[in-house]
Amino acid sequence: MLKNWTNIFIYHIKNNKFFTALNVLGLSIGIAGLIFAILYWNEEHSYDQWNPQKDKIYTIMSDLGGGNVWAVTSTIPAPILKATTSYVDDYCFIRTNYSKETIQYKGKIELFDKIFTAQSSFFSFFPFEFVRGDAKSAIHDRNSIAISEETASRLFKDENPMGKQVRYAEQIFVVRGVYRLSEKSSAMPSAVTTVIEDDLEKDRESWGLSYGLMLKLKKQSDSTAVVKKLNEIFVQENYKKQAKSEGLSLEAFIKRYGEPLKMRLLPLTAARLHQGNTPFPEGNSNLIFLQILMGLSILILLLSIANYINLATANAIKRAKEVGVRKVVGATKLQIIIQFVFETILITLFSVLLALVIVELSLPFYNSLLNKNLIIIGTQFYLQLVLIFVLVVFVSGVFPAIYISNFEPLKVLKGNFSRSKSGVWFRNAMLVLQFAIATFFIIGSFIVYQQVNFMAAKDLGFNGSQVIDISFKAKKGRGQFERYKTIQQELQKINGVETVSTASFSIGSMENSWSGLHYKTNPEVITQQMGIDFGMLDLLGIQILKGRDLTDKFASDTISNVLLNETAAKTLQEKDPLDKIVNLSEGNYKVVGIVKDFNYFGLENKIGPMIFFHLKTEKWAQKDIHTIAVKISPKEMPQTIDAIGKFWKTKVDSEYPFEYTFVDKNFARSYKKYQNQSQLFSLLNAIVILIAVFGLFALASFSMERRLREIAIRKTLGAETNVLLKNLSKQYVVFCLIGFMIGIIPAYLLLQKWLEDFAFRIDIPLLPFFVALVSLLFLTLTIVLAKAYQVTKIDILKYLKYE
């Protein structure tokens, strides 16, 4: 029986090559789209799933005000935490970002961008497999370093690294362990040290937001009690003591400085998909985009299935007599259903294989858009693929099989095929659905494209086109600011260098420092601290709206004078904020200028309050110089950069590579992901339109082939071709308009939701809706009229000889 069904299937493939190709291609495109989304989904959800302690590990998040801004760092000092939290089995302070440094071994210098520092308990939170040494002794003291297998291979080749001395951050470390990074993790460092212990000792009494803090709870159910305890610690050990030192009651202190920070615990299992500031160095995923991509991929697959059903029912007319004959010779309805489901299984199998080929060939392009390294491997993926196969077969195979099995043998064999309206509404509904989804994608891709263009063209408040940021590494025992001043003088002697300055921040990076800004009795405002050298704002083209810039003409500009940006100035609630005295970090400062707001973190974030002061004003700011900004003449720019590089390697740092980035390009990376999303949306849009063309062609073919006898009669009675074309196409125009009206509602609502992620965004215009309508009407009329014109040229006698 299977052999007979297979022979029939092959026969129909040979006689319906075009329809079969459309079936396979349509399904394979839909399945391929879902496979891409599943690979991405699996990748992002696989982080930390290997960790046996994952359900008990949390990281502390601190509310910086209003419940909207969460810092990934903790204010709780280590000694106080250890003495007062009985719910905690273990804890580990970490730096939340990697360091990019060189590691040296016997004169060989290798640059690594994932060097991590944490307390010695780190490997109990991330129990990586150790191929040499063990987790307990790998970083048990200040001079120990643990390295990954890849790092060991780069530094030592085939040599045993255990006990070997390496030079890192101008210090000697001994390799005590080599670990393997085989699974995705929120922290995947090239090397781990306990350098953080020195900083923790210095800040043992500090309540600043300086470190990440992981907790391992004794019981998962203790998380609520831990949060409550942490909040109590902050009030008792910090707020009450500060209030007492200022001679204020707790209530008066809160009124003056604002509510105490609130803590919350973020589970390790949710860290990767957390929206907002990321608590771990590997960063977080864009959960909303991930969900949107999965939803759109499922929609495209449903569209492909609907298209398959349309094509299958359209092609069923040609097999009506076959079904009639089989029923006459004794075939049951169930046997016919099973036969056509079997054919669907073969079609779907071919489609899945083609989809895998499409995915394999397109994966490099897809990875470049998502900045990922996805591969087709893993048991979980294949189980999901089998599930997709079963669902596609069930949904796309059952309806056409039932429809075909209901053909009436007597009418079919007499040549008077039934014109029952059974299934007509379902097919038309699927066509309307295709139009609605196509409407959504056309409008969506247009608006995403406009938003990305808006971000690219917006005035950012600074000009970084000729400015490079040079990576400036600290040297032990030498003042960073003093080194910079010497380098500044030498750089300005190089031909083509216009200006040299520096700051404790770098536009386009995530470097930032926050503190509470006080003015009179106003509530405390969390403000970004921006340490600058003279000329830095002018170098970046940032305007001074009121007052003046900081200058070396006034000695007080390095002691007590500051600038505020527009947003910070508004918080003072003063008509003229110049010459007003504000309090920052328990120091009083005079406002001498107002800086025009500029974008620092990217256009998806609002511009926050900023305070600018000279680097000498705060000692910590001088240590936080990580880059030197150089403005270069546009003439002979490559030669100027080459000269700077040679000077840097010979006079500044011979060990660390000369690295620089253009400020405007560095900032552009902050919305590069949205450019990639726009391209991906456009690609999905093209796929949807392609599948919609298949579906429209299928239903038009199905409908018009059922009306061939009607058309023959009309032509016999003298109907003109243009009248027939109008009559045959008008219902599709109606379907197009209905689908358009349905599609614009979710398009508007979902895109409005997507735009809410941007502090600076476009308003949804009418143009995308007009473009979508015109595009769909053009597509519909082109396909339908072409098919209608074809059927108006039929041989009349062929369809009327039995009448």
Side-chain angles (χ1 to χ4, degrees):
M1 183 172 62
L2 288 178
K3 182 179 179 181
N4 181 43
W5 289 352
T6 304
N7 290 334
I8 294 173
F9 174 71
I10 295 172
Y11 170 80
H12 283 291
I13 285 180
K14 291 180 179 178
N15 288 277
N16 298 279
K17 296 183 181 68
F18 183 66
F19 273 95
T20 302
L22 289 183
N23 273 331
V24 174
L25 184 59
L27 274 181
S28 62
I29 290 174
I31 293 171
L34 189 55
I35 289 175
F36 279 128
I38 288 174
L39 289 175
Y40 185 25
W41 181 276
N42 289 347
E43 165 92 355
E44 297 301 336
H45 282 79
S46 67
Y47 276 76
D48 302 306
Q49 294 306 308
W50 61 273
N51 194 324
Q53 302 290 323
K54 63 181 183 294
D55 293 327
K56 295 183 179 180
I57 297 174
Y58 295 81
T59 184
I60 294 181
M61 306 285 282
S62 302
D63 185 1
L64 296 185
N68 297 318
V69 182
W70 291 89
V72 299
T73 48
S74 169
T75 65
I76 307 294
I80 296 177
L81 173 75
K82 187 174 183 179
T84 55
T85 50
S86 58
Y87 302 102
V88 177
D89 185 45
D90 200 359
Y91 69 91
C92 181
F93 281 94
I94 63 172
R95 287 293 186 187
T96 57
N97 295 310
Y98 293 127
S99 295
K100 189 174 184 179
E101 294 281 357
T102 58
I103 299 179
Q104 302 177 42
Y105 174 66
K106 290 185 177 180
K108 182 180 181 181
I109 302 175
E110 291 283 343
L111 179 65
F112 298 92
D113 56 6
K114 287 189 175 184
I115 300 179
F116 195 59
T117 181
Q119 291 186 294
S120 57
S121 57
F122 173 75
F123 288 114
S124 71
F125 286 81
F126 290 93
F128 300 130
E129 177 190 355
F130 272 77
V131 294
R132 295 182 186 274
D134 59 77
K136 291 183 179 180
S137 61
I139 50 174
H140 71 281
D141 61 35
R142 178 64 183 76
N143 298 316
S144 296
I145 187 171
I147 59 178
S148 68
E149 272 189 312
E150 181 184 355
T151 302
S153 176
R154 286 176 58 185
L155 282 173
F156 301 98
K157 300 299 182 182
D158 298 328
E159 190 178 351
N160 184 357
M162 293 297 290
K164 298 295 191 301
Q165 292 184 343
V166 296
R167 183 177 176 83
Y168 159 66
E170 300 185 342
Q171 300 174 56
I172 300 300
F173 290 86
V174 179
V175 178
R176 301 294 187 192
V178 179
Y179 53 87
R180 176 173 295 156
L181 298 174
S182 57
E183 302 285 347
K184 292 293 181 181
S185 175
S186 291
M188 302 181 69
S190 302
V192 183
T193 71
T194 57
V195 173
I196 194 175
E197 292 286 7
D198 292 342
D199 298 327
L200 288 171
E201 183 61 30
K202 293 176 186 176
D203 297 335
R204 60 183 290 111
E205 302 298 330
S206 173
W207 289 84
L209 296 163
S210 302
Y211 310 99
L213 174 58
M214 295 187 293
L215 303 179
K216 187 188 296 181
L217 305 188
K218 293 179 179 178
K219 293 188 295 184
Q220 187 178 359
S221 58
D222 288 340
S223 58
T224 302
V226 169
V227 171
K228 183 179 178 181
K229 189 67 177 179
L230 290 172
N231 289 330
E232 289 176 359
I233 290 173
F234 187 81
V235 173
Q236 293 291 332
E237 301 293 334
N238 183 13
Y239 253 47
K240 281 190 175 181
K241 289 183 178 180
Q242 287 193 61
K244 185 178 180 180
S245 66
E246 295 189 22
L248 299 173
S249 65
L250 179 61
E251 292 73 17
F253 187 84
I254 291 175
K255 186 176 181 181
R256 179 176 180 180
Y257 293 102
E259 292 291 329
L261 295 183
K262 298 295 183 182
M263 312 291 176
R264 74 166 173 172
L265 295 182
L266 179 67
L268 177 64
T269 52
R272 178 65 182 179
L273 298 175
H274 170 68
Q275 297 303 286
N277 293 331
T278 174
F280 291 105
E282 284 297 318
N284 53 4
S285 175
N286 188 333
L287 180 60
I288 294 176
F289 175 68
L290 182 62
Q291 292 171 336
I292 289 174
L293 183 61
M294 179 60 75
L296 295 181
S297 300
I298 292 173
L299 272 181
I300 292 176
L301 180 60
L302 292 177
L303 201 62
S304 300
I305 292 173
N307 175 68
Y308 175 86
I309 294 173
N310 278 344
L311 287 167
T313 52
N315 193 41
I317 297 174
K318 299 178 182 179
R319 301 185 64 176
K321 289 187 178 180
E322 173 198 333
V323 174
V325 170
R326 292 199 65 221
K327 281 192 171 183
V328 168
V329 298
T332 64
K333 184 176 178 179
L334 180 60
Q335 288 176 323
I336 293 173
I337 291 175
I338 295 174
Q339 177 191 349
F340 282 94
V341 169
F342 171 74
E343 292 183 5
T344 301
I345 290 174
L346 296 180
I347 290 288
T348 305
L349 182 61
F350 294 151
S351 300
V352 169
L353 294 176
L354 180 58
L356 290 173
V357 173
I358 293 172
V359 170
E360 187 66 38
L361 295 176
S362 306
L363 208 50
F365 173 72
Y366 189 75
N367 281 332
S368 67
L369 286 181
L370 296 175
N371 193 28
K372 301 294 292 183
N373 187 29
L374 306 177
I375 54 176
I376 305 177
I377 193 171
T379 306
Q380 183 184 21
F381 164 72
Y382 289 117
L383 290 175
Q384 291 167 325
L385 189 61
V386 170
L387 180 61
I388 292 171
F389 176 81
V390 172
L391 289 176
V392 170
V393 168
F394 178 78
V395 177
S396 61
V398 172
F399 176 78
I402 294 175
Y403 172 79
I404 293 169
S405 68
N406 284 329
F407 287 166
E408 299 178 32
L410 186 60
K411 291 184 179 180
V412 169
L413 295 177
K414 285 176 61 179
N416 183 25
F417 179 57
S418 171
R419 298 187 184 186
S420 168
K421 293 186 178 181
S422 174
V424 170
W425 284 105
F426 183 75
R427 288 190 296 273
N428 290 344
M430 286 190 292
L431 183 61
V432 169
L433 175 65
Q434 288 179 325
F435 280 126
I437 295 176
T439 298
F440 173 82
F441 274 89
I442 293 173
I443 294 172
S445 61
F446 201 104
I447 290 177
V448 171
Y449 175 78
Q450 283 189 316
Q451 173 64 21
V452 171
N453 278 356
F454 169 78
M455 291 192 293
K458 186 185 179 298
D459 179 13
L460 303 172
F462 67 89
N463 181 9
S465 58
Q466 296 169 226
V467 180
I468 62 172
D469 272 343
I470 304 174
S471 182
F472 183 41
K473 295 297 178 181
K475 294 289 185 180
K476 191 174 182 180
R478 299 173 62 186
Q480 191 78 329
F481 184 74
E482 289 71 23
R483 289 180 61 218
Y484 150 71
K485 295 304 290 186
T486 303
I487 294 169
Q488 182 189 40
Q489 294 175 4
E490 295 299 319
L491 285 174
Q492 288 175 334
K493 297 176 184 178
I494 297 175
N495 187 37
V497 173
E498 295 183 353
T499 315
V500 181
S501 192
T502 192
S504 62
F505 62 90
S506 177
I507 291 179
S509 72
M510 295 304 291
E511 292 183 54
N512 60 86
S513 176
W514 302 83
S515 186
L517 179 70
H518 305 275
Y519 177 67
K520 293 184 177 179
T521 59
N522 293 359
E524 180 183 68
V525 177
I526 300 299
T527 305
Q528 188 173 0
Q529 302 179 95
M530 315 287 276
I532 58 173
D533 189 22
F534 300 127
M536 185 64 185
L537 297 182
D538 183 61
L539 180 147
L540 290 171
I542 298 173
Q543 297 180 29
I544 305 295
L545 298 180
K546 289 183 180 181
R548 62 175 178 84
D549 195 357
L550 299 179
T551 172
D552 57 4
K553 295 179 181 179
F554 300 92
S556 57
D557 278 5
T558 60
I559 302 173
S560 59
N561 290 344
V562 297
L563 310 173
L564 299 179
N565 72 341
E566 294 176 88
T567 302
K570 290 176 183 176
T571 66
L572 304 188
Q573 300 176 14
E574 292 280 1
K575 186 175 182 181
D576 184 7
L578 293 180
D579 299 326
K580 299 299 186 291
I581 304 299
V582 298
N583 179 274
L584 182 78
S585 301
E586 300 182 1
N588 294 321
Y589 301 94
K590 181 181 178 181
V591 179
V592 297
I594 305 301
V595 177
K596 183 179 179 180
D597 281 344
F598 64 93
N599 292 96
Y600 178 75
F601 289 116
L603 294 172
E604 64 269 35
N605 299 300
K606 293 181 180 179
I607 298 175
M610 297 179 183
I611 184 168
F612 301 83
F613 48 81
H614 192 268
L615 290 164
K616 285 187 176 180
T617 305
E618 297 281 353
K619 289 184 179 180
W620 66 263
Q622 297 178 44
K623 298 178 182 178
D624 270 15
I625 301 174
H626 303 304
T627 59
I628 295 178
V630 181
K631 188 170 185 179
I632 302 173
S633 170
K635 295 180 180 179
E636 299 182 346
M637 186 176 288
Q639 292 86 338
T640 302
I641 295 175
D642 186 57
I644 294 173
K646 289 179 180 178
F647 160 75
W648 200 269
K649 291 175 183 177
T650 56
K651 299 293 182 65
V652 180
D653 197 332
S654 59
E655 297 181 353
Y656 191 86
F658 171 66
E659 289 188 330
Y660 70 91
T661 57
F662 280 91
V663 170
D664 55 346
K665 293 182 179 178
N666 195 33
F667 184 85
R669 292 193 189 99
S670 65
Y671 58 85
K672 180 66 167 65
K673 62 182 179 181
Y674 296 108
Q675 291 177 315
N676 293 341
Q677 288 180 22
S678 176
Q679 294 178 32
L680 187 58
F681 212 113
S682 297
L683 176 63
L684 294 178
N685 183 40
I687 291 172
V688 166
I689 290 176
L690 181 63
I691 295 174
V693 168
F694 292 170
L696 183 60
F697 177 82
L699 198 57
S701 300
F702 174 79
S703 178
M704 292 177 191
E705 288 184 19
R706 291 190 64 180
R707 299 176 64 181
L708 289 176
R709 187 174 287 106
E710 173 193 340
I711 293 169
I713 294 172
R714 286 175 175 270
K715 290 192 68 174
T716 303
L717 297 176
E720 296 181 1
T721 300
N722 61 336
V723 175
L724 289 173
L725 292 177
K726 180 180 178 180
N727 184 267
L728 290 170
S729 62
K730 63 181 181 181
Q731 63 173 323
Y732 297 100
V733 174
V734 173
F735 293 153
C736 176
L737 293 175
I738 294 173
F740 172 78
M741 295 304 296
I742 294 173
I744 60 176
I745 297 173
Y748 179 83
L749 295 177
L750 292 177
L751 288 166
Q752 187 69 35
K753 182 69 175 176
W754 180 75
L755 287 172
E756 287 178 1
D757 289 339
F758 301 91
F760 301 89
R761 57 180 180 266
I762 62 172
D763 293 322
I764 296 180
L766 291 176
L767 181 60
F769 298 88
F770 177 76
V771 170
L773 179 59
V774 171
S775 301
L776 288 176
L777 284 174
F778 175 78
L779 180 70
T780 301
L781 290 174
T782 300
I783 295 173
V784 172
L785 289 178
K787 184 64 181 179
Y789 183 78
Q790 179 185 355
V791 299
T792 58
K793 300 303 178 182
I794 61 173
D795 181 2
I796 296 175
L797 291 177
K798 179 180 177 181
Y799 293 95
L800 298 182
K801 62 184 179 181
Y802 294 109
E803 298 296 327

